[in-house]
């Protein structure tokens, strides 16, 4: 379990960061996923299936954060935007920032599929398992997401 944490934590935090937009929340989501895995460790029969479980757990954590933010925005009337330090904004660079914002503007399912496909380089089968959808749905979702990104990013040039 400790080796899994050391080897996979950073990648999972990056995944969560791309989906929720702030580092602290991303770290909390990943920590919660590892804590849940730790609680279930003795009952697991297929330890080779742990990484897909963690990815799905992180995706579900990100979904919960988005639901909470949506509910809060209904009550407060303002949309919560993730805080990004000056250092982080500088590191992203203008082009990466535009792409990051365009990906963040995608609908949740499309955003998740694109991040899993092009950031984590997962296969369609792995994405389908992590998201709980069919491989065909993964294909069509990624296609629609890429089409939307192309339209949005070409419109800025």
């Amino acid at each position: 379990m400790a080796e899994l944490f050391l080897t996979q934590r950073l990648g999972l935090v990056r995944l969560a960061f791309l989906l929720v937009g702030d580092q602290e929340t991303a770290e909390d989501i990943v920590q919660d996923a590892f804590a849940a895995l730790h609680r279930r460790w003795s009952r697991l029969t297929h330890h080779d299936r742990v990484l897909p479980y963690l990815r799905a757990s992180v995706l579900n954590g990100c979904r919960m954060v988005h639901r909470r933010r949506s509910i809060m925005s209904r009550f407060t009337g303002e949309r919560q935007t993730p805080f990004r330090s000056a250092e982080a904004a500088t590191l992203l660079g203008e082009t990466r920032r535009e792409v990051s914002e365009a990906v963040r503007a995608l609908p949740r399912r499309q955003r998740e599929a694109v991040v899993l496909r092009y950031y984590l380089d997962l296969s369609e089968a792995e994405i389908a398992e992590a998201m709980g959808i069919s491989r065909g749905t993964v294909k069509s979702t990624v296609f629609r997401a890429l089409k939307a990104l192309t339209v949005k990013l070409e419109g800025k040039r």
Side-chain angles (χ1 to χ4, degrees):
M1 178 83 164
E3 182 180 330
L4 181 68
F5 182 80
L6 291 173
T7 59
Q8 299 298 324
R9 184 190 70 81
L10 185 58
L12 292 170
V13 169
R14 288 178 180 156
L15 166 65
F17 175 78
L18 288 169
L19 295 174
V20 297
D22 74 276
Q23 185 75 23
E24 289 178 2
T25 303
E27 289 174 357
D28 287 344
I29 290 168
V30 171
Q31 189 66 31
D32 289 346
F34 273 102
L37 175 65
H38 181 67
R39 285 191 303 273
R40 292 173 179 81
W41 190 258
S42 63
R43 294 186 305 242
L44 291 177
T45 56
H46 300 288
H47 289 262
D48 59 327
R49 306 298 307 147
V50 171
L51 187 54
Y53 169 83
L54 279 171
R55 287 183 190 131
S57 184
V58 168
L59 283 175
N60 287 332
C62 293
R63 290 171 183 159
M64 275 194 336
V65 166
H66 285 292
R67 278 193 295 272
R68 277 190 228 123
R69 287 178 179 172
S70 175
I71 290 168
M72 288 303 295
S73 70
R74 286 185 212 149
F75 287 108
T76 62
E78 56 189 54
R79 192 171 191 284
Q80 255 190 345
T81 55
F83 171 76
R84 192 174 281 130
S85 69
E87 178 182 299
T90 302
L91 291 175
L92 280 176
E94 187 63 24
T95 303
R96 286 186 68 190
R97 185 188 57 75
E98 287 177 5
V99 171
S100 177
E101 287 176 3
V103 169
R104 201 167 284 115
L106 290 171
R108 178 191 53 82
R109 181 185 273 186
Q110 290 180 12
R111 181 176 55 249
E112 290 173 359
V114 166
V115 168
L116 290 170
R117 177 68 187 106
Y118 295 103
Y119 181 76
L120 289 182
D121 198 29
L122 298 183
S123 69
E124 290 170 354
E126 291 170 319
I127 296 168
E129 182 178 14
M131 293 179 66
I133 58 178
S134 71
R135 286 181 67 186
T137 303
V138 170
K139 287 180 186 181
S140 62
T141 301
V142 169
F143 175 80
R144 285 192 307 274
L146 292 178
K147 187 175 179 182
L149 287 171
T150 300
V151 168
K152 184 164 189 127
L153 292 172
E154 285 181 354
K156 288 190 173 201
R157 299 191 192 280

